[in-house]
Amino acid sequence: MFKAIVSASTLRDSLDAVSVLVEECKIRLNEEELSIRAVDPANVGMVDLTLEAAAFESYEADGGVIGVNLTRLEEVAGMANADDLIHLELDEETRKLHIECEGLSYTLALIDPDSIRQEPDIPDLDLPAEIVLEGAQLSRGITAADMVSDHIRLRVDESAETFHIEAEGDTDDVDLQLESEDLIDLTAGPADSLFSLDYLKDMNKAIASDAEVRVELGEEFPVKLHYEFAEGLGKVTFMLAPRIQSE
Amino acid sequence: MFKAIVSASTLRDSLDAVSVLVEECKIRLNEEELSIRAVDPANVGMVDLTLEAAAFESYEADGGVIGVNLTRLEEVAGMANADDLIHLELDEETRKLHIECEGLSYTLALIDPDSIRQEPDIPDLDLPAEIVLEGAQLSRGITAADMVSDHIRLRVDESAETFHIEAEGDTDDVDLQLESEDLIDLTAGPADSLFSLDYLKDMNKAIASDAEVRVELGEEFPVKLHYEFAEGLGKVTFMLAPRIQSE
Amino acid sequence: MFKAIVSASTLRDSLDAVSVLVEECKIRLNEEELSIRAVDPANVGMVDLTLEAAAFESYEADGGVIGVNLTRLEEVAGMANADDLIHLELDEETRKLHIECEGLSYTLALIDPDSIRQEPDIPDLDLPAEIVLEGAQLSRGITAADMVSDHIRLRVDESAETFHIEAEGDTDDVDLQLESEDLIDLTAGPADSLFSLDYLKDMNKAIASDAEVRVELGEEFPVKLHYEFAEGLGKVTFMLAPRIQSE
């Protein structure tokens, strides 16, 4: 059983976070929250999303799992205005999701959850450095890195207490140096890892420029990016595996 | 003889209604009004447009017919600001149309009217249902239908007094249900017809979102869409042939 | 030695003027001003740009010459907001240009100036007519000409004291006639020349629509376009060779 009403903007923010990595996903409809975990086909990027029942206008669920085509669902949510309320109701018998908004009904055929890639276990990592910054700053570093390379290096300078977003191209280099005053918070620690720029660009697309992004970082370790949406009732964690540094 | 002055926005609204169906057309320059009738090459969609002399700043004509390349004429009209006045004058000898606006002169070579597809006779149909709605509502239904199919069904539910814009895809369905309160007016009657979405999308492009669209509908019959522009001095009728319902 | 601070908008206006003709250029870092001269590979269009030291927040140079990839430099300048200050510093040893803006450092590898096409000598021409007009008027004529032809004719009617931007297509013609009241200034004289529209379109892209453009024109002679930016502290001259009139 699943029956819920949610604003179009909250639904879109949820779907966007997952669709940057996969086209189909399982949605867990727990009693207290809706949750999604997914990993991209190459096993490089993962996402863990939860949206509390309180983020909905109304929410009833009893623990089922559905499989959805994210692209389709995003298109439907995209037709509504940000403040429009979207009604969702699962038809258990036909395995279809009924979506209704301002007189428009959409019947979405669900996908067998067993045919969807297994949900990843996102490991607990005790990463030594933590940087909290605005989404806009992260975007700036990613855009700059993209001018010269397809890799990006995230690094903390422990003595200077600065966070660096860097890229080395064949001839040109880029370094965005963010000092304590540019950051919301910094816990310095040994941290220096290289990542695929394509993945980070995609993840960054889902992050609002005024979101507070918490970055957990280590040495040649995966990075974790945490941010919230829907006034804190929605939470996203991205995890991205490092590239081996070629020096 | 033809000599007229008209606002760029009125000229553009006129041309747009016709160019969604054809690239060339005959324009009848009657004493009381300018009029255009055209049918697309596949004989599926027709348009009938009239623009009264009063819609012009000044208008003199004596019943001639000219053939024009609509794409060219739209480009020229597109260069002006909405409120700019466009001067049109026919040179009978050279068979060219002189267009002038804010110091810019454009000499448009006309096309031999005999080389242009014959103007259609748009039949009188006594269609049992009539729906009047805002252009924006029609757009919404067309956009939704386009997510799942390349056909669109327009239907009146006589007992519920509702108008439905529907589409059936391979797996997903869409239904925009408009009740009396969502409509400007409804005359219920037996009406249920299927149409090619491509044509309706094109016709819809010419209709302003705040225009009042009068839809005449029957059972497996052509649909007629009527709307006005230029403060009621311009009138457009689109007619679209039905597709055979495949059940 | 070269070390300077300049607003992003001034740097972008400078680079834009040159990048419409070439992808790489030499920049002369004189004591009193920065200057660039370049000619396109076909030897048809030339640009001469100077930016006075006073246009910079701070400026120190001793006459060196550097070779730069304009596309790269434009991308870097494009990341900053219009009012952001960009710090430029030449590293003579590594032959790299350090660019810094709001915490972002970019190290740009320079190009050997000897590998860049030689700077042209822009000839002094005593052209008989001079037209001063707004960039927006020039744009309008170019856009209109582009509808019918890939050549454009600039002409002064001495007796009528009008300036004409004209184009002749296979079937259609365009004539933008600008009278004294449409122009900022006009010195009439025998002037009628034909130009490649592609070049003039590119040059026009660099000219702000509210810039005052001084056009020097003759009979089958090159045209010179002069305009200023950075509150008069930056000056650009474009020169474009004529096409032979085919009559």
Side-chain angles (χ1 to χ4, degrees), chain B residues 90-117:
Chain B
L90 175 64
D91 182 329
E92 309 257 12
E93 267 181 47
T94 60
R95 297 305 295 170
K96 302 215 171 189
L97 185 67
H98 291 289
I99 308 164
E100 219 179 295
C101 178
E102 302 282 315
L104 178 69
S105 309
Y106 191 104
T107 308
L108 179 78
L110 296 175
I111 301 171
D112 178 356
D114 293 340
S115 75
I116 294 177
R117 196 173 315 113

Side-chain angles (χ1 to χ4, degrees), chain A residues 61-100:
Chain A
D62 59 3
V65 178
I66 58 174
V68 302
N69 178 324
L70 279 168
T71 316
R72 273 296 171 92
L73 196 50
E74 278 191 305
E75 267 188 1
V76 182
M79 277 205 57
N81 297 316
D83 292 336
D84 286 351
L85 291 180
I86 295 183
H87 295 242
L88 303 166
E89 184 166 3
L90 176 64
D91 183 330
E92 309 258 11
E93 267 181 47
T94 58
R95 297 306 295 170
K96 301 216 170 187
L97 185 67
H98 290 290
I99 308 164
E100 220 180 292

